[in-house]
Amino acid sequence: MHIFTNRIRQFIESVLMLSLLAMVLLTFADVIGRLFFNIPIYGAHDLTEHLMAVIVFSGLPLLTSARGHLAVDLFDRFIMTGAMRWWRYLTNGLICVILLLVSYQFFIAAMDAIEIQEVSQALLIPRSYMYALISFSCFVSACASVLPKQVSQDVHPEETL
């Protein structure tokens, strides 16, 4: 199972890197085209918008599985004790429920986008695919939020939940 999750993580990381590279190259070419040739790349805004969604929502499951979300450590001395383990489980459960709710809402949005054939402004890219990606990403993140923390090489085992 560990090998399977590592392969999935590596695949998602590759998708993230390629998406970021594509967005940087597209933005660079668009700026150069505007500045020197007064010819912007048609649809660059649409492509950048979709690539940004891919980057953010593909990274969400990785961030959730590593417990990398923003956290305030003001009460960690109290909360990280064994007696407060129930609080950490409750928090992870709440995160799971919220992510499932977001996933459900974007699933509905994807179905609506298919029904009304919603597309992007310039390139007419169907929006339903992005909504489905967001829904799937939030669902996977919800599952990852209730699993044990993924231990990486730079994290000590005593720091895991």
Side-chain angles (χ1 to χ4, degrees):
M1 184 69 166
H2 185 62
I3 294 170
F4 179 70
T5 56
N6 275 345
R7 297 255 183 202
I8 291 174
R9 183 180 47 79
Q10 289 172 349
F11 173 74
I12 293 172
E13 288 172 352
S14 298
V15 168
L16 287 169
M17 287 185 283
L18 290 174
S19 298
L20 186 59
L21 177 65
M23 193 169 69
V24 167
L25 292 175
L26 176 66
T27 303
F28 177 77
D30 189 42
V31 169
I32 295 299
R34 283 178 195 270
L35 240 70
F36 296 117
F37 306 110
N38 202 20
I39 303 171
I41 296 176
Y42 180 75
H45 184 301
D46 281 0
L47 290 173
T48 301
E49 183 179 89
H50 283 80
L51 286 169
M52 184 61 75
V54 168
I55 290 168
V56 169
F57 287 100
S58 292
L60 184 62
L62 297 177
L63 185 73
T64 304
S65 67
R67 302 294 191 264
H69 291 288
L70 184 64
V72 178
D73 59 358
L74 186 63
F75 300 110
D76 271 2
R77 177 178 271 166
F78 174 68
I79 291 175
M80 297 309 278
T81 63
M84 292 299 289
R85 182 171 288 191
W86 65 272
W87 178 259
R88 296 190 301 274
Y89 289 133
L90 179 68
T91 304
N92 289 341
L94 183 62
I95 291 170
C96 178
V97 168
I98 291 169
L99 286 169
L100 286 174
L101 180 63
V102 172
S103 175
Y104 175 71
Q105 289 299 315
F106 271 101
F107 178 77
I108 291 172
M111 294 299 110
D112 289 345
I114 290 171
E115 186 177 323
I116 65 171
Q117 298 177 350
E118 183 181 354
V119 293
S120 65
Q121 204 168 24
L123 297 178
L124 306 177
I125 301 170
R127 299 275 184 177
S128 58
Y129 297 115
M130 279 300 112
Y131 298 152
L133 171 72
I134 294 169
S135 176
F136 180 71
S137 172
C138 289
F139 178 76
V140 171
S141 297
C143 295
S145 70
V146 293
L147 294 175
K149 180 178 176 180
Q150 183 182 31
V151 180
S152 63
Q153 296 169 348
D154 59 333
V155 176
H156 300 288
E158 63 271 4
E159 294 178 10
T160 60
L161 177 65

